[in-house]
């Protein structure tokens, strides 16, 4: 089963991992629904460039993943245009770091809403059409923090553990329907989300960004190497292949040995 001609919605695909996944699926001939924030002109350039390079249909929906009504409207619009969403990639995410006593309540609410609740809302809305077609792939971008914890990341770790749990339940509820649901758990990937954390460390420690970049990866990952968006996209494509038909409810690490320790 190739993804050529299928419709793929990647939440948070204007940057980083989501953009890498969107590019890889378009290169394989899938139509895309892009989503995420950013400068409108830049997003339009991205959308048109992807469509022209890959000769696929690419649309953009600016739905805010913290807003259930906007999520429902995005799925309904995509289904109206394409018939169904064949592959749903729940990727949008944000980070906030602070000890729990200092963790702002509004940041807790935002991280849980965008990193966890959005996946409940997208799956709930997109699953009926997948069931009807008898084929679908739901891929949730969780994190190494869906399996293990780090200090100062209470909301992120809670949300990502929640995503792994949601993945298991959806995997069970869709068993033998042609739909599968799996999570990908990346370690460090050098995207704007992580760049901000590296810069904050350099400021706190009075060191260079380059030094903190190396130190951050070495602290957690045996490989001492960042995972790339392209590698994550490769795993997502594999989960859409025939070989992966019987893989569901699983969480796949791609973390240079982080969670092996
Ligand atoms: P990023 O900041 O580069 O991209 C995040 C994307 O989500 C952007 O397109 C942004 O516009 C979008 N987004 C943010 N808030 C949104 C909202 N309310 N509604 C719609 N879109 C919104 O980050 P990234 O590193 O590419 O992260 C992507 C996913 O991968 C996240 O779920 C993150 O938790 C996960 N992840 C990242 C790493 C890493 O090291 N970078 C590791 C493990 C997991």
């Amino acid at each position: 089963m190739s993804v050529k001609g299928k419709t793929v919605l990647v939440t948070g695909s204007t940057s980083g991992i989501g953009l890498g996944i969107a590019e890889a699926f378009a290169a394989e001939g899938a139509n895309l629904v892009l989503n995420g924030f950013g400068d409108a002109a830049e997003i339009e350039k991205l959308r048109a460039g992807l469509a022209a390079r890959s000769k696929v249909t690419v649309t953009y929906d600016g739905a805010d993943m913290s807003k259930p009504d906007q999520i429902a409207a995005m799925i309904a619009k995509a289904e109206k245009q394409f018939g169904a969403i064949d592959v749903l990639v729940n990727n949008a995410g944000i980070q906030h770091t602070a000890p729990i006593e200092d963790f702002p309540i509004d940041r807790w609410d935002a991280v849980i809403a965008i990193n966890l609740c959005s996946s409940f809302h997208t799956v709930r809305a997109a699953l009926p059409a997948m069931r009807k077609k008898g084929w679908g792939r739901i891929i949730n971008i969780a994190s190494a923090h869906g399996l293990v914890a780090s200090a100062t990341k209470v909301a992120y770790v809670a949300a990502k553990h929640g995503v792994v749990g949601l993945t298991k339940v959806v995997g069970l509820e869709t068993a033998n329907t042609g739909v599968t649901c799996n999570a990908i758990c990346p370690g460090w990937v050098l995207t704007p989300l992580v760049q901000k954390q590296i810069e904050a460390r350099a400021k706190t420690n009075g060191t260079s960004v380059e030094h903190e970049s190396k130190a951050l990866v070495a602290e957690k990952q045996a490989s001492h190497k960042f995972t790339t968006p392209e590698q994550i996209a490769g795993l997502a494509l594999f989960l859409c292949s025939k070989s992966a038909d019987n893989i569901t409810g699983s969480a796949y690490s791609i973390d240079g040995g982080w969670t092996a320790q």
Side-chain angles (χ1 to χ4, degrees), residues 12-17 35-37 63-66 91-94 114 141-143 156 160 186-189 191-194:
S13 43
T14 52
S15 167
I17 295 170
N35 160 260
F37 296 155
D64 182 338
M65 289 301 105
S66 68
N91 168 80
I94 58 167
I114 296 163
I141 306 303
S143 167
Y156 190 84
K160 295 298 187 180
W188 293 119
V189 186
T191 65
L193 182 137
V194 166

Side-chain angles (χ1 to χ4, degrees), residues 3-261:
V3 295
K4 192 169 167 52
K6 300 222 172 282
T7 299
V8 183
L9 165 63
V10 187
T11 70
S13 43
T14 52
S15 167
I17 295 170
L19 179 55
I21 293 173
E23 281 171 342
F25 275 81
E28 293 295 321
N31 297 316
L32 287 179
V33 181
L34 299 173
N35 160 260
F37 296 155
D39 176 74
E42 286 296 316
I43 293 172
E44 175 49 25
K45 209 163 113 194
L46 183 73
R47 188 206 64 74
L50 261 172
R53 268 200 312 282
S54 307
K55 300 186 174 46
V56 294
T57 304
V58 183
T59 64
Y60 166 74
D61 193 307
D64 182 338
M65 289 301 105
S66 68
K67 304 275 187 314
D69 55 334
Q70 293 188 24
I71 295 173
M74 173 178 72
I75 304 282
K77 194 171 124 202
E79 288 182 346
K80 195 162 173 216
Q81 175 160 13
F82 295 103
I85 292 159
D86 301 297
V87 181
L88 167 65
V89 183
N90 286 310
N91 168 80
I94 58 167
Q95 177 62 282
H96 187 85
T97 59
I100 189 163
E101 308 94 306
D102 305 328
F103 212 93
I105 291 169
D106 74 320
R107 289 300 83 203
W108 165 270
D109 288 344
V111 172
I112 297 294
I114 296 163
N115 295 22
L116 172 59
C117 301
S118 67
S119 299
F120 164 76
H121 295 296
T122 54
V123 173
R124 190 171 175 277
L127 192 50
M130 289 183 179
R131 281 190 193 275
K132 214 162 147 194
K133 270 188 126 173
W135 196 89
R137 292 287 177 267
I138 299 165
I139 300 169
N140 299 322
I141 306 303
S143 167
H145 284 120
L147 304 170
V148 295
S150 297
T152 75
K153 294 190 172 173
V154 67
Y156 190 84
V157 169
K160 295 298 187 180
H161 276 66
V163 168
V164 172
L166 177 145
T167 301
K168 292 177 183 174
V169 174
V170 176
L172 293 180
E173 291 188 6
T174 54
N176 295 318
T177 64
V179 178
T180 68
C181 178
N182 292 287
I184 295 179
C185 297
W188 293 119
V189 186
L190 194 51
T191 65
L193 182 137
V194 166
Q195 187 65 28
K196 279 183 218 147
Q197 294 174 59
I198 294 170
E199 284 165 11
R201 280 173 62 128
K203 203 168 158 199
T204 308
N205 298 338
T207 50
S208 71
V209 166
E210 198 195 352
H211 170 82
E212 288 301 338
S213 174
K214 285 190 182 136
L216 175 108
V217 181
E219 259 167 32
K220 300 285 189 186
Q221 299 194 178
S223 70
H224 291 209
K225 280 195 210 101
F226 285 103
T227 298
T228 65
E230 291 74 21
Q231 289 166 338
I232 296 168
L235 181 50
L237 280 168
F238 166 72
L239 289 171
C240 296
S241 72
K242 184 103 194 78
S243 305
D245 271 1
N246 201 31
I247 299 175
T248 199
S250 296
Y252 270 81
S253 291
I254 177 161
D255 66 5
W258 180 333
T259 54
Q261 301 168 73

